[in-house]
Amino acid sequence: MMTKRRLHPVAMVTGVGRELKNVLLPLLVVVVAGSGGDFSWRDLVVPLLVLAYTIVAGILSWVRFTYGWDDQTLQVEEGVFVRKKRTIPFERIQGISITEGIWQRLAGVVKVHIETAGNVPGEAEVTLAAVSREEVRRLQRDIEQAKEQAEESNPWNDQEKRLLSPPLFTLSVKEVWLAAVTSGGAFGVVAAVWAFLSQLGDLIPYEALFRNVQATWNGHGRWYIGIIGLVALLAAYGVAIVQNMIRFASFAVRKQEDTIVITRGWLERKTVSVPIGRVQGVMIHESWLRRLFGYATVSLIHAGGALDGGPPGDVVLCPLVKKERVSSIVHACLPEYDLDVTFHPLPERAKIRYMLRPLYWLMVPVLLAAYIERPWGAGLLLVLPLAVWIGVRRYRAAGWALSSRQLTLRSGWFRQTTTYMLKRRLQSIEVSATWWQKRKRLATISAAVMPLGTSARVVDVDGQDAAAVYRWLQAERKDET
């Protein structure tokens, strides 16, 4: 019999606090704009009513939210005025991630995100804002047992003991700091600050500030403005470093039978469970800065969507790891994948295309800027040979590898990406060629996997090699039919 449960009261506190945070700034703007410089207590009537409604609605939402499960299904009921009831079979649940914010940790509870095969990738179908750890363990155990019974396999027991299995990968304090420093994210901080300031248009005279900046620029204060912009960018970079250090602290990867469990976070601890059967591929990312120190990032292509707050289908397995350790870690988690492959380079006739490709969109703006800002603008012309050199590096980095059961594609230089895809996981392979590529007997290989056609590609592969890769997959399809 299914017993209905209610979330921990901390869920009510965090929910009300989140809604108050969303309405506080607009209400402040309404009060300041509505008073017109002549403040009256009447100006607070509407904001106070909105605040009261927000608090009452948050409390009622917590009271009306119930959940429960039996041997086969999870059931959730919610809604203040309109009741919404959802019943989710355990077979449809593809992933469960667990987070612990500050309030959850103080109350001894966790936040659970449950993702199913039918929901929008990257969005949890059910979120339980405050559940005890013991209930989460029971729910995970019941879900796994239901799946194993459906697949006629042995039951999964002793969950608590398996949670203590030794980690396959951890980050030291030094590696956490290095991962944070090389992760970037400064532009994301700048975008967030800009989005916040854009909501204060009624309070901040942006037009007057813009006129002052323009006057300073025209008054030969360009170096002054440039220094201010550099300081702001460095400050944003510092904030991004702190954010990433908090995110990657206590990072650990464990394998529990047929599930990869990833835990991370300091202020907000998060646990992500990735079923091995839902892994569609492995990606190795190497930025030029990390490659300089011999490090890389490993992520998994997950058919269930985004379980870790990243792009849909992407779960970070190792945020920072020495390149020589990547193969052993991936093999321990996913024995089917072979990362020690020999890449086929691109043909020599593709080199000139890689050299010229960045010049197509750089040539005109660089020449115009050099002419307008002469004589000092002539220094911008150095960008053109630099772009050609980068094109050569991209040409040398690109390649492909093929085995009886795996396709590997590698491309990029600033952010070199190597994608490993099993033959049985591939959704499609596309071989295309433009008119210019046909003249050089070249082609582009694109391989897609789940979800939503997540793909990798290599440009200007030898035409015969591209055809051989295409026939490799077609042979598999014929054998299946």
Side-chain angles (χ1 to χ4, degrees):
M1 181 177 179
M2 184 178 299
T3 302
K4 291 186 178 181
R5 299 172 172 87
R6 186 167 282 118
L7 299 175
H8 192 278
V10 75
M12 174 183 62
V13 176
T14 56
V16 172
R18 182 175 58 253
E19 294 301 324
L20 288 178
K21 182 180 67 174
N22 294 334
V23 302
L24 200 57
L25 182 60
L27 289 179
L28 179 61
V29 173
V30 169
V31 172
V32 174
S35 63
D38 185 15
F39 178 78
S40 173
W41 290 107
R42 295 179 181 177
D43 298 326
L44 295 178
V45 174
V46 174
L48 289 176
L49 289 176
V50 173
L51 290 176
Y53 172 80
T54 303
I55 294 173
V56 172
I59 296 174
L60 290 178
S61 297
W62 173 77
V63 172
R64 301 279 284 171
F65 188 100
T66 60
Y67 68 98
W69 71 87
D70 53 22
D71 294 338
Q72 299 294 329
T73 60
L74 171 68
Q75 189 176 104
V76 176
E77 295 186 35
E78 59 182 328
V80 177
F81 301 108
V82 178
R83 296 291 287 170
K84 182 178 180 181
K85 183 177 179 180
R86 283 178 290 177
T87 301
I88 304 172
F90 286 161
E91 295 80 17
R92 288 185 57 229
I93 296 178
Q94 303 298 337
I96 296 178
S97 61
I98 301 171
T99 60
E100 297 178 64
I102 296 178
W103 293 106
Q104 281 90 356
R105 291 170 65 181
L106 290 175
V109 296
V110 296
K111 185 176 182 180
V112 183
H113 304 268
I114 299 174
E115 184 179 339
T116 66
N119 65 309
V120 178
E123 296 183 4
E125 180 159 330
V126 175
T127 299
L128 305 179
V131 182
S132 68
R133 297 175 184 272
E134 183 60 32
E135 283 198 1
V136 174
R137 294 192 184 100
R138 289 201 301 267
L139 177 59
Q140 289 177 320
R141 183 168 57 248
D142 291 346
I143 291 173
E144 190 65 25
Q145 288 178 350
K147 289 185 176 183
E148 289 177 349
Q149 290 175 2
E151 296 172 0
E152 297 181 355
S153 59
N154 294 327
W156 180 27
N157 297 317
D158 200 9
Q159 172 75 7
E160 290 78 6
K161 182 178 180 180
R162 291 173 55 191
L163 286 174
L164 299 177
S165 60
L168 300 174
F169 171 77
T170 59
L171 281 178
S172 65
V173 176
K174 177 184 176 181
E175 289 173 331
V176 169
W177 178 82
L178 189 57
V181 170
T182 57
S183 291
F187 291 105
V189 175
V190 172
V193 173
W194 179 261
F196 172 75
L197 293 178
S198 64
Q199 301 182 28
L200 304 178
D202 296 332
L203 303 177
I204 300 177
Y206 288 116
E207 295 183 1
L209 289 177
F210 179 76
R211 287 195 297 269
N212 292 336
V213 171
Q214 187 177 20
T216 304
W217 180 272
N218 295 332
H220 305 286
R222 302 177 185 182
W223 288 106
Y224 176 71
I225 295 176
I227 292 174
I228 294 178
L230 179 61
V231 171
L233 187 61
L234 290 175
Y237 185 55
V239 173
I241 289 176
V242 174
Q243 288 178 341
N244 286 319
M245 288 190 68
I246 293 174
R247 177 187 178 190
F248 295 135
S250 303
F251 195 98
V253 177
R254 292 178 171 85
K255 185 179 180 182
Q256 302 174 353
E257 298 292 336
D258 57 352
T259 303
I260 299 172
V261 179
I262 304 170
T263 57
R264 64 165 178 84
W266 178 43
L267 294 179
E268 183 181 52
R269 295 178 183 175
K270 189 167 189 177
T271 302
V272 178
S273 300
V274 182
I276 292 177
R278 303 296 295 175
V279 175
Q280 306 297 300
V282 178
M283 301 180 71
I284 313 297
H285 304 286
E286 302 175 57
S287 67
W288 68 272
L289 183 58
R290 291 185 174 181
R291 190 162 59 245
L292 186 65
F293 294 97
Y295 285 96
T297 300
V298 183
S299 61
L300 305 177
I301 304 175
H302 180 257
L307 294 177
D308 197 22
D314 183 88
V315 178
V316 177
L317 181 67
C318 304
L320 187 77
V321 60
K322 280 289 188 179
K323 292 176 61 176
E324 56 266 23
R325 293 186 58 199
V326 171
S327 180
S328 60
I329 294 173
V330 172
H331 183 74
C333 296
L334 304 164
E336 288 185 281
Y337 288 85
D338 179 18
L339 271 61
D340 299 321
V341 297
T342 302
F343 286 91
H344 296 274
L346 302 183
E348 185 68 23
R349 59 184 180 275
K351 185 175 182 179
I352 187 65
R353 288 177 52 81
Y354 273 81
M355 294 170 61
L356 295 178
R357 191 171 287 117
L359 298 180
Y360 295 154
W361 57 275
L362 271 179
M363 182 74 74
V364 173
V366 167
L367 291 178
L368 285 176
Y371 176 77
I372 294 173
E373 297 293 332
R374 62 184 187 278
W376 299 105
L380 293 174
L381 296 177
L382 296 175
V383 173
L384 299 180
L386 178 62
V388 173
W389 178 78
I390 292 175
V392 174
R393 303 298 298 183
R394 288 172 57 87
Y395 161 77
R396 293 177 179 175
W400 61 279
L402 195 66
S403 66
S404 60
R405 60 178 184 176
Q406 178 181 288
L407 172 64
T408 307
L409 300 179
R410 185 176 66 191
S411 62
W413 183 76
F414 271 112
R415 182 176 172 83
Q416 180 177 296
T417 301
T418 307
T419 307
Y420 300 84
M421 296 164 286
L422 295 179
K423 191 174 188 177
R424 61 187 179 86
R425 297 294 188 184
L426 284 169
Q427 300 295 310
S428 65
I429 288 182
E430 179 182 348
V431 176
S432 59
T434 64
W435 182 80
W436 293 103
Q437 285 179 315
K438 290 179 180 178
R439 289 189 59 190
K440 295 288 186 177
R441 305 187 309 280
L442 302 172
T444 298
I445 299 177
S446 299
V449 294
M450 289 285 286
L452 298 178
T454 303
S455 63
R457 71 170 191 160
V458 178
V459 181
D460 293 339
V461 179
D462 182 272
Q464 293 184 355
D465 291 338
V469 174
Y470 184 80
R471 290 194 299 269
W472 169 78
L473 183 63
Q474 290 300 314
E476 175 74 9
R477 297 292 188 263
K478 291 179 181 179
D479 293 340
E480 291 178 354
T481 56

